[in-house]
Every structure is written in structure tokens, then in C-alpha cells.
Amino acid sequence: MIRKFVYLLPVLYLLSCNRDEIPLSSSLTLQLDYTVDQKNLFIDTSWYINSAGNSFTINHLEYYISGITFIRSAGDSVRISDYFYIDATKAEYASIQIRNIPMGSYESLVLHIGLLPDQNISYALPPTIENSNMAWPGMMGGGYHFMKLEGYLIQNTQQVGYAVHFGNNPHLVRCVIPMPFHLYAGHQNAKLVMNINEWFDHPSRYDLIQDGNYTMGDSLLMSKVAKNGQDVFTLKF
């Protein structure tokens, strides 16, 4: 009996190790992609047209994503506490890594473009070059820029610059992406696609010439842009 038990020990050890190695949660890589309606985004080199008829380029796009929340089919949710700084012009910010997500079925993904109020406080973020460059002036409420979208547009046959900047807590963009999906044990990949023309289209058409080519500090313009941002993202598994 002792000899048989000794023979069983390696088997029991292997079974124990295998159980320990089975992932108990999911991790997800969201690959970030950008379009302008049906066209791929090319920084600096391509001209695009929005619903207002503005002809424009995109030279710069920075933003934060925070408050990522996975909504379960049963109605409860899982929120990720991390925030993510993103620069669409740099390859090192081409994806978001999310770890320790409970396995199971989800019916939608919620995320915020900008920073949640407890994060959107001057000097609250680490003093990296990126965070420092995204700082929102204290005299205008402090905190950080939620997004910087910049480029050139044609106005009266001339090229002029535009800068769609917004910040301040009332302009935090909440995106609800309704798409059922299932997260299994281990790692998965999905694509998070921003259609930049949505910033100028729905629910209110934004005209870079008539409404204004600079939004920073104008609460009405920032609010209009922020509301348009609620459906800029789609999710693809």
C-alpha cells in the first residue's frame, strides 16, 4: 500500500499543478483603431470631409480613457479602476491591456473619454510629460484635457488651424457600446474603433467654420462636442 501511494504522488502533484495553472479570470487587449467614416485615418497626409462639409486634416489626437466597465447580462457590472492616456500618432499607445476581468457573458462595454472626477484634479496624475502636456489651466477649472484633436481645414480657400479641445467634469464623455460578448479564461483580443467624424455629426452637427475652430474655454462648444462623442466608438471581437 505504501508503494502504491508513493507511485500516486507524482500524479497528484501534476493534477494539483494543472489546477493552479488554470486562469481564474480573463485578460483583454483592446487594439485601438481610427477611421473617418469609411476611410482609414492617415495622420497629416489625408484630407477628410465631415457632415458639415468641412474639409480637414488630422495632425494630432490625444485623449484619456477611464471608467471602463463591463456590464454583465444579469445586470451587474465590473469596473476597471485604471485610466489610460492615448496618443493616436504613436505606436506605443496602439492598445489597452485590461487584466483580471471575471469570466462570463457581458452585454455591453461602457467607457469614458476623459478622466473621472476623482482623477481629474490638477497634479493628481503622475508628472509624466504626457500628463503635464494634458494639464487644464487652473483658472479654467484645473484638472486635465479630456481630448485634443487638431489639424487644418479649408476656409475661404485658405488653410487655417483648428483645435477641438475639451475638459472639465461636466464634459466627461460616457460611451455605451452595446455588444454581447463572452470572456473566457486566459487572454483575448478585440478592436476598439473610433470614427472621428462622429465628433462632428451626432446628435448635433458641428461646423468647424460656423461653430468655431477653437473650443477650449467655451462651455457651449465643448458640451456640443462632448455629446457627439457618446457614440464615437465601436467594439469588434
Side-chain angles (χ1 to χ4, degrees), residues 12 44 50 84-85 89 96 102 104 114 121 203 207-208 231:
L12 293 172
D44 291 332
N50 63 21
F84 302 90
Y85 163 83
T89 68
I96 292 174
I121 301 169
D207 190 317
L208 286 166
D231 57 359

Side-chain angles (χ1 to χ4, degrees), residues 134-215:
M134 292 290 278
W136 192 266
M139 66 183 67
M140 299 172 67
Y144 298 86
H145 283 76
F146 292 166
M147 187 183 77
K148 294 181 178 180
L149 173 61
E150 302 172 2
Y152 292 93
L153 69 118
I154 301 296
Q155 183 175 6
N156 298 326
T157 72
Q158 301 293 317
Q159 287 190 32
V160 299
Y162 74 88
V164 176
H165 293 193
F166 65 92
N168 301 140
N169 293 337
H171 307 125
L172 180 64
V173 179
R174 185 174 185 266
C175 301
V176 179
I177 307 173
M179 179 180 176
F181 58 92
H182 190 92
L183 294 181
Y184 300 92
H187 185 78
Q188 289 175 250
N189 296 284
K191 185 175 288 189
L192 188 64
V193 184
M194 177 189 285
N195 178 5
I196 294 173
N197 253 355
E198 288 293 338
W199 291 108
F200 307 117
D201 191 21
H202 181 266
S204 301
R205 181 174 294 177
Y206 190 98
D207 190 317
L208 286 166
I209 296 174
Q210 299 299 322
D211 290 302
N213 57 340
Y214 289 92
T215 63

Side-chain angles (χ1 to χ4, degrees), residues 68-143:
I68 295 177
T69 304
F70 296 83
I71 308 298
R72 293 181 185 270
S73 301
D76 58 333
S77 62
V78 177
R79 171 168 282 190
I80 307 301
S81 60
D82 295 339
Y83 71 89
F84 302 90
Y85 163 83
I86 298 161
D87 185 337
T89 68
K90 296 180 179 179
E92 58 263 40
Y93 300 106
S95 64
I96 292 174
Q97 308 289 332
I98 307 173
R99 296 177 175 85
N100 299 319
I101 314 165
M103 297 179 294
S105 295
Y106 296 88
E107 64 179 18
S108 61
L109 180 70
V110 176
L111 59 84
H112 298 80
I113 301 173
L115 294 168
L116 299 178
D118 61 342
Q119 299 164 328
N120 189 39
I121 301 169
S122 294
Y123 311 110
L125 303 186
T128 63
I129 293 175
E130 292 79 11
N131 289 334
S132 297
N133 288 338
M134 292 290 278
W136 192 266
M139 66 183 67
M140 299 172 67

